[in-house]
Structures are given as C-alpha cells and as structure tokens.
Amino acid sequence: MLQRRFREELYYRLDVVTFTLPPLRMRGNDTLMLADAFIKLLNPILDTSITGIDETVQKLFARYDWPGNIRQLRNVIERGMIMAEHGLISVTDLPEEMIKQVDERDRKLLVQSAEKNELERALRETNGNKAKAARMLGISRSGFYEKLKKYQ
C-alpha cells in the first residue's frame, strides 16, 4: 500500500508567508463590498441587471453571522438576484433560513422592509393609482397614505 505523506521539508519550503483571514462575520463592511463584487460578476452570467442590495439587507448582511463564510454570501447573492423582481435585492429575496436567524431588532426591520416592498409593488402594478393599490392590498386609502408617509 502506497502511503502519501506530505514531506516536512516541502512544507517548510512552501511556508514562507502565512496569511490569516478573519471569518466573514468579523469583517463588517467587507461583506457589502463582496456582495457588490458578486453582483457585478453574476449579472452577465444570470442575464440580470441587479444594481445592489437595499438598505435593510445591507444592515442584515453587516450583522449576520455567516456560518458558511464567503460561499454562503455568494449563494445568498445569487439566489437574491434570481428572485429579485426589480433592480435591488430586498428582504423578500433572501433565503428563509437566513431570515429565521435574525435577532429581534432586525425582525422589526424585516417587517418594515417587506411592508414597504409591498406598497411599492402595488403602486407599480396599478401604475401609481393609490386608491387601486390600497384596494389591492386590502387596506383603507387613509391607511395606505399613512404607510406611504411612513416610508417616504
């Protein structure tokens, strides 16, 4: 039986410089820079025109633990790009497993972001007609206007 052993001598020849990279969860803004780089890389491959990630997702990315490190980030970006209905990746485009792991303060952000996205979608589908958008969402016109004011 042939044993393949890494020769200690070869190890010391190769071990000239050691680079230590902290995990993604400890690199804060690097997450956002990497997300942008993945979007630019994947746009031509996926034939999409995603311009970035929305503000709520940016906040979540900066605080998320990223147990799968950079591979997980790329997969989340790719999924988000496929699921996105318009130019930005929003909370509704993120994997459910990721949403389940956010803490309580982030949960409030998620709800607000999802509500804002629904308002925008309703306005797009009704060509800006606020009365139709309110009916479509099943809320009163005054309630719709309050929500618009809240998010604009």
Side-chain angles (χ1 to χ4, degrees):
M1 177 185 237
L2 180 65
Q3 287 186 349
R4 295 180 180 231
R5 293 187 183 173
F6 193 69
R7 290 190 358 205
E8 193 173 344
E9 169 194 340
L10 179 59
Y11 172 76
Y12 289 112
R13 284 184 184 199
L14 297 174
D15 188 33
V16 177
V17 178
T18 303
F19 292 100
T20 305
L21 282 175
L24 195 55
R25 70 180 168 273
M26 298 179 80
R27 295 183 9 217
N29 289 337
D30 285 359
T31 305
L32 302 178
M33 290 188 315
L34 288 166
D36 285 339
F38 285 138
I39 289 169
K40 287 176 184 157
L41 174 76
L42 293 170
N43 263 327
I45 295 169
L46 299 174
D47 193 27
T48 57
S49 56
I50 302 300
T51 58
I53 55 180
D54 76 17
E55 191 177 323
T56 305
V57 175
Q58 289 177 22
K59 290 175 186 175
L60 290 175
F61 277 17
R63 292 196 294 251
Y64 188 67
D65 196 30
W66 298 108
N69 233 336
I70 199 161
R71 286 186 187 96
Q72 182 186 17
L73 174 62
R74 182 190 163 123
N75 289 344
V76 167
I77 292 296
E78 188 169 356
R79 180 193 192 283
M81 291 176 73
I82 292 168
M83 300 300 289
E85 293 181 7
H86 48 87
L88 291 175
I89 296 173
S90 67
V91 172
T92 54
D93 305 322
L94 299 178
E96 193 174 318
E97 313 83 64
M98 188 175 180
I99 302 295
K100 287 179 182 177
Q101 293 180 13
V102 299
D103 62 21
E104 197 55 43
R105 75 181 160 171
D106 290 337
R107 202 165 303 282
K108 185 177 178 182
L109 277 175
L110 293 176
V111 169
Q112 290 173 345
S113 180
E115 189 174 56
K116 181 181 177 188
N117 289 340
E118 283 302 302
L119 292 172
E120 290 171 349
R121 183 185 61 78
L123 283 170
R124 272 194 314 274
E125 289 181 16
T126 61
N127 294 318
N129 186 318
K130 294 173 185 156
K132 280 185 182 178
R135 279 194 303 274
M136 184 175 152
L137 294 173
I139 58 177
S140 68
R141 246 188 346 191
S142 62
F144 187 81
Y145 280 107
E146 280 179 34
K147 290 180 186 301
L148 279 180
K149 184 178 177 184
K150 176 181 176 182
Y151 294 117
Q152 290 179 351

